[in-house]
Amino acid sequence: MQFTTQVTDECSLGSSGNNGSDTHRLQINVNNAFANAIWANNYAAILRANILFEGAALVTPTEAADVALYNEALGENYALRAFAYSKLLTYFAEDLKDPNSLGVILIDFVPSVETRLPRSSVQDVVDFINNDLQEAENLLTSAGTGYSSIFVSVDFVRALRARVNAYVGDYGTASTYANAVLGNFTLPTTASEADFRSIWQDVSGAAEANEVIFKFDNTLEVGSSMGQIWNTNVSDATGSPLYEVSRNLYQTLEDNSTNFGDIRRNIWIDPTSTIVADYPNDPNPQQNDRIVVDKYPGDPALPGLTGGLTNDQKVFRTVEMHFILAEAAVVNGDLPGAAAQIKIVRDARYTNQQAAPVYSSPQAAWADILNERKIELFAEGHRFADVKRLGALANQGYDRNETDCSLYPTPECDLGFSDVRTQYLPIPAAEFRGNPGIQQNPNF
């Protein structure tokens, strides 16, 4: 989430953001801290999963209850290993739509320090993920594992399968699993700002139950205060904002709110924000114009500053399944079908509901889907992946505001969808020190 919000056009520098990180200034190389963390942390998760599998092979449960618990543990483990591989594939694969292009390293055993492995193809990684997810669904089903929004379930597995297969263009498989998930989750047919806000405050209720398929339970032990990605202290103008809602995204939200009653405008943006009317000509736009990220306002049940910074991370939401079905409809030449899915999303967010959009071409449909994903999935970690896989189809890259860009010492503004920095991260230098034969991504 932090990498995506900094590298894409989601956010601009806040009043306390100084010059921004190297990543925000698009200075990305093999020592990039985010690339290193995404690579190392996901391979650490894979290693732990493989250790569990090797240990589980030494255990043979006999009692029925133990067999169910054993199968549930293995099913969760398969799903989490697949999730880690999906992250690695998203950020490091050379070309998600080319099955023969370079993916990432596949490893299903506990390696020794001498182990040296090359990168596998995208197709091999996708097959591995799908196999893990099939095993997970079989085991969870046999164990009778019920649904929970904070534990791995069959719905988690199906949502991940829908996402991964959409990312690589297998929309037949993606649609099957997106529809399976939507059998259990439903977007509202009318927009309610109060209900939608409750989801982001982690208030349990019907709104969250229908819209959140799975979330990481940050608030359980008050561990990761992800609000600090954007705000030093609290999510308002007094909280020393590090990064703010980008000016161009703000304008889209403002226009939508004025014209359609888009409830997301007042939820994504804190009411204490100060908006400069003539932003391009303001003498000090970084200090005077403060568009504060309020998507993660903190859990009101938690005490003090902790409550102002800590929320659960929404990993799979119902709305993503509708976006996947919209993408599938475009691929199948069904532009009205794609429009119908976008209308379902907008009906849930617009108090002044509109007719379904009419697309004149596939490119127009892709552009609208990509734009709606940018609005709805803001600050959830999707934008990098979305431009990577849909940018060429929509003829869109990153759209940073020129005044936002002027705040950086070495300004770079709009990045086209063909720029390698919108396509993949470099394989970290640390990997080469232990695995010198691995192949680097082009132009790094």
Side-chain angles (χ1 to χ4, degrees):
M1 289 167 58
Q2 188 170 2
F3 165 74
T4 295
T5 206
Q6 289 188 23
V7 80
T8 73
D9 50 3
E10 286 190 328
C11 287
S12 63
L13 277 181
S15 57
S16 298
N18 298 317
N19 293 326
S21 70
D22 288 344
T23 299
H24 191 57
R25 290 184 285 113
L26 305 173
Q27 308 300 305
I28 300 172
N29 57 40
V30 296
N31 293 308
N32 181 268
F34 289 112
N36 276 272
I38 295 170
W39 183 271
N41 292 344
N42 281 290
Y43 273 114
I46 289 164
L47 173 63
R48 291 170 186 143
N50 291 340
I51 289 170
L52 191 149
F53 282 130
E54 289 200 6
L58 305 176
V59 177
T60 305
T62 56
E63 300 294 330
D66 290 339
V67 171
L69 186 60
Y70 180 86
N71 287 341
E72 182 174 81
L74 291 184
E76 291 173 340
N77 206 44
Y78 275 114
L80 292 173
R81 185 169 71 176
F83 183 80
Y85 268 118
S86 76
K87 289 295 182 185
L88 290 165
L89 193 69
T90 297
Y91 290 101
F92 295 99
E94 186 177 349
D95 183 350
L96 289 172
K97 300 298 175 64
D98 179 357
N100 297 314
S101 66
L102 286 175
V104 293
I105 299 169
L106 283 178
I107 183 164
D108 62 356
F109 59 92
V110 179
S112 71
V113 293
E114 288 82 20
T115 301
R116 306 286 186 271
L117 294 172
R119 294 168 68 182
S120 296
S121 70
V122 166
Q123 188 62 60
D124 285 345
V125 178
V126 172
D127 289 344
F128 189 96
I129 291 170
N130 279 325
N131 288 338
D132 268 6
L133 292 176
Q134 188 61 60
E135 290 285 350
E137 182 160 354
N138 293 344
L139 286 161
L140 293 171
T141 300
S142 71
T145 302
Y147 171 73
S148 168
S149 65
I150 60 172
F151 287 98
V152 172
S153 68
V154 170
D155 288 303
F156 173 108
V157 171
R158 292 173 176 172
L160 179 55
R161 202 157 185 179
R163 178 187 291 176
V164 169
N165 285 284
Y167 276 20
V168 298
D170 181 358
Y171 282 104
T173 301
S175 296
T176 296
Y177 287 100
N179 278 314
V181 172
L182 291 175
N184 296 325
F185 299 88
T186 306
L187 286 181
T189 55
T190 58
S192 167
E193 185 173 322
D195 286 348
F196 195 46
R197 187 184 303 276
S198 72
I199 293 171
W200 303 100
Q201 293 176 323
D202 300 308
V203 177
S204 297
E208 183 180 72
N210 277 313
E211 292 218 39
V212 179
I213 300 164
F214 176 80
K215 63 179 185 176
F216 284 137
D217 192 352
N218 276 331
T219 59
L220 182 65
E221 295 182 0
V222 194
S224 173
S225 298
M226 62 190 185
Q228 288 184 306
I229 293 173
W230 302 277
N231 302 299
T232 307
N233 300 312
V234 293
S235 60
D236 63 35
T238 69
S240 300
L242 300 169
Y243 292 92
E244 299 173 3
V245 179
S246 72
R247 186 70 190 201
N248 287 356
L249 177 55
Y250 157 76
Q251 196 60 57
T252 299
L253 287 164
E254 185 71 8
D255 292 344
N256 279 359
S257 177
T258 300
N259 295 325
F260 313 124
D262 192 332
I263 62 175
R264 293 169 295 194
R265 188 266 183 236
N266 292 336
I267 298 174
W268 293 178
I269 299 172
D270 189 77
T272 66
S273 298
T274 56
I275 311 299
V276 171
D278 187 11
Y279 187 58
N281 296 311
D282 189 86
N284 190 359
Q286 185 176 359
Q287 294 301 320
N288 296 335
D289 191 74
R290 298 190 181 190
I291 311 176
V292 181
V293 176
D294 197 34
K295 189 165 189 174
Y296 303 99
D299 185 336
L302 296 175
L305 287 179
T306 296
L309 293 169
T310 304
N311 283 106
D312 295 335
Q313 182 183 348
K314 285 67 179 176
V315 178
F316 295 113
R317 292 203 287 127
T318 306
V319 70
E320 184 184 357
M321 302 300 110
H322 288 287
F323 286 136
I324 289 170
L325 293 179
E327 294 173 26
V330 180
V331 168
N332 292 327
D334 180 11
L335 298 186
Q341 293 296 328
I342 295 301
K343 177 171 169 52
I344 290 171
V345 175
R346 290 177 179 165
D347 284 350
R349 307 294 181 243
Y350 289 177
T351 57
N352 179 13
Q353 294 188 352
Q354 304 294 303
V358 177
Y359 301 132
S360 59
S361 67
Q363 184 181 99
W366 287 119
D368 204 34
I369 292 168
L370 185 57
N371 186 61
E372 195 63 42
R373 288 184 67 101
K374 178 181 178 181
I375 299 168
E376 174 71 24
L377 302 176
F378 164 68
E380 294 180 58
H382 293 270
R383 181 67 174 163
F384 178 84
D386 288 347
V387 172
K388 171 175 181 163
R389 62 196 188 82
L390 303 180
L393 296 168
N395 194 32
Q396 291 183 5
Y398 299 155
D399 181 26
R400 288 182 165 187
N401 181 276
E402 290 184 2
T403 303
D404 287 350
C405 293
S406 70
L407 305 176
Y408 319 140
T410 53
E412 288 193 72
C413 207
D414 297 347
L415 279 186
F417 54 79
S418 61
D419 191 295
V420 297
R421 289 168 293 181
T422 71
Q423 296 302 300
Y424 42 69
L425 286 171
I427 306 300
E431 179 65 30
F432 282 87
R433 287 195 286 272
N435 189 10
I438 192 173
Q439 188 169 339
Q440 181 59 274
N441 276 325
N443 298 311
F444 281 111

